[in-house]
Structures are given as C-alpha cells and as structure tokens.
Amino acid sequence: MLKHRIPSGIMMTLGLVLLMWADDALGRRGMPPGLILLGLVIALGALASTELAALLRAKWGHCSRLSTFGSAAVGCLMVYLLPMIETPRTAVAFFGSGVAGVLFFSMFRHSFLRKETQGAAAAGANAVFAMVYLGILPGMYLLIREAGYSAWVIAAIIMVVKSCDIGAYFTGRFLGKHKLIEWLSPGKTWEGLVGGMLFAGLWAVVFTLIGNHLVPERAIAPLYALPAGMLLGFLGQVGDLVASLLKRDAGVKDWAATIPGFGGVMDVADSALIVAPVAYWLITLAPAA
C-alpha cells in the first residue's frame, strides 16, 4: 500500500500547492478571494457525494447522489456567500431558509419520485447530514480565505493535519503497542496518536515561522503554533474516527477505490473536514508575535 500512497500523496500535494498559488494570485489581482478554492471544494464535493450517497444507501437503502451533492453545494455556497450580506439578520434568515429548504425538498422529492412515504425522514436526514459534512465544514476554509488570509494559510492547515496522519502511521507502526479504540479502528494506537500530534505541532511551528517571515504584519507567536498544531492534528484523528464510525455503521471498509493507496476521496478528506471550524477560530484569534 505504501508504494501507491507515496506517489499519490506527492501528486495531491503538488495539486494543492498549484491551486492555492492560483487562488492567491487571482486574489492579488482583484478577484474575489477563494474563487478557485470554492471550485475545488464543489468539485471534490461532487466526488465525495457519490461516495457518501453509496455509504448511506448501504445503510438505509435509499439515498440520491443528486440530492446529496445538491445539499453539499448549498451548504458550501451559503458559507461562502452569506458573509457578503451586510445585515446579519438577513444572513441568518437566508441560512435558516436554506437548511429548511434542503430538508423538506429532499423529503418530498424522495416520496413523490417513489410515490411512497417510507424513507422520507431518512432522506431528509441524509440531505442535512451531507449539507453539514460535505458543505458547511469545508466551507469554513472559504471563510478563512474571506477573512483576509492567504490561500497558503489554508494549505498550511491541511498539511499540518495530514502530517499528523503521516506521523501517526509511522510512530504507530514502529512503536505502537496500546490500541486507541480497538472496536472502532484497530490500527490506531495511543503511541501513534501522540507521535502524530507532535509531528503536526512541529510542522505548525515551521509553517508559522515561514509565514511570519513572508508576511511580518500578520505574524503569529510561534509558541502558540505548537499547541495549535497539536490540536489540529488531534482533531484530524477524530475526523478519521468519525469516518470509521460511519463506514462500520454501514458495513463497508473503504469509501471507494478512486485514489491508489488511499481509497476514496473521503478517505483522504475526512481528517480535514472536522478540523475546519476549529482552524477558523485558531487562525482568527491567534495572538500576534
């Protein structure tokens, strides 16, 4: 598996760097920040929605790929567009209307297409879950971009999270003895978790020092970066466990077999999803150097 993971990981890293460079370059030329990132999230959401719909279908029997993707896209677009509304009350009203629209549209679509009532509640719940999991959560990265931070900050966050995956894998492989949650994820160990968090914290410090040098007016205290990076790494592992919980609940091993050595798009993205809201607060509330 490792021989497939390394080239796939390199290609994905290069792709991420290229897209973040393009988004940052367009932002400096006066384009709305995060446009390319928005396109990336929606494109990945289309692939991930297919995987999530298949998983939910394995569990509940009925789940529309179109409804899953549409719900995710609505969630992502709301997070991206609603901050542009000047009146907070109006923004909240649009958000509430969007959630209600996704819920009831998916319920009635399910029932009227099949001309049956069975599964209507599950269809609505699946759509709202997809809206949050594949729309609102990754949309929080767009919110960081809209807050005036460079696309490179988002790239650094994702790399810190994935560095915890790498550190946990190798630490657990060579030093792991005590199972973390054996009934949920037998391969994870406490030693791997600690090693991964330390690795993530160190990379957070490295990225912070680089960022402080390149953008001194937005310098962040390096001592803040260490625990922040460790927290992001820990939450990334929680994201992995949440994905394992969903897969085990549905009785499947991997989301898909799209990416050699990794599985599906969700097998790569799951650790970065749950991190996004906390990353937003850690970045926007970070103390100056």
Side-chain angles (χ1 to χ4, degrees):
M1 180 182 291
L2 194 59
K3 68 178 182 179
H4 296 298
R5 280 196 171 197
I6 292 175
S8 296
I10 292 173
M11 292 299 296
M12 287 188 290
T13 301
L14 291 175
L16 176 66
V17 168
L18 178 61
L19 288 169
M20 293 303 173
W21 172 83
D23 190 272
D24 206 54
L26 286 179
R28 289 197 302 270
R29 294 182 181 181
M31 295 291 288
L35 275 181
I36 290 182
L37 185 59
L38 174 64
L40 173 64
V41 170
I42 290 180
L44 291 177
L47 298 173
S49 294
T50 300
E51 298 175 5
L52 180 61
L55 183 140
L56 294 174
R57 195 159 48 246
K59 175 63 179 177
W60 302 109
H62 295 296
C63 186
S64 164
R65 287 179 294 177
L66 180 61
S67 177
T68 302
F69 172 61
S71 302
V74 168
C76 180
L77 287 170
M78 284 200 305
V79 175
Y80 183 73
L81 296 174
L82 291 185
M84 302 178 187
I85 297 177
E86 295 183 359
T87 307
R89 184 179 292 106
T90 304
V92 173
F94 269 114
F95 183 82
S97 300
V99 174
V102 163
L103 172 64
F104 293 113
F105 175 79
S106 60
M107 290 176 64
F108 285 111
R109 179 182 181 277
H110 170 88
S111 294
F112 278 96
L113 283 178
R114 292 172 173 78
K115 294 182 173 58
E116 62 181 24
T117 58
Q118 185 177 4
N126 289 341
V128 174
F129 179 76
M131 183 185 195
V132 174
Y133 197 41
L134 299 183
I136 293 176
L137 287 180
M140 295 296 292
Y141 288 113
L142 302 175
L143 208 57
I144 294 173
R145 186 75 177 94
E146 283 189 315
Y149 292 90
S150 167
W152 294 112
V153 172
I154 298 169
I157 293 170
I158 294 174
M159 289 181 181
V160 165
V161 174
K162 302 314 291 184
S163 72
C164 184
D165 291 348
I166 297 170
Y169 174 80
F170 285 103
T171 306
R173 184 174 182 181
F174 293 107
L175 300 176
K177 293 181 179 179
H178 302 87
K179 298 295 184 181
L180 184 62
I181 307 178
E182 189 170 5
W183 57 268
L184 179 58
S185 184
K188 291 187 182 297
T189 64
W190 283 103
E191 292 84 358
L193 175 63
V194 173
M197 289 173 61
L198 290 173
F199 199 54
L202 291 175
W203 272 110
V205 172
V206 170
F207 287 134
T208 298
L209 292 174
I210 294 173
N212 290 352
H213 175 72
L214 296 176
V215 190
E217 63 273 15
R218 302 198 80 159
I220 296 174
L223 287 178
Y224 173 80
L226 179 62
M230 293 178 66
L231 176 59
L232 292 177
F234 171 76
L235 291 173
Q237 296 302 295
V238 172
D240 273 340
L241 292 172
V242 169
S244 296
L245 186 65
L246 294 173
K247 289 185 289 186
R248 287 185 176 274
D249 186 31
V252 300
K253 183 179 185 297
D254 292 319
W255 290 94
T258 310
I259 305 172
F262 286 92
V265 172
M266 285 298 299
D267 288 300
V268 177
D270 54 14
S271 59
L273 290 175
I274 291 182
V275 166
V278 177
Y280 171 82
W281 293 112
L282 288 175
I283 290 295
T284 56
L285 299 178

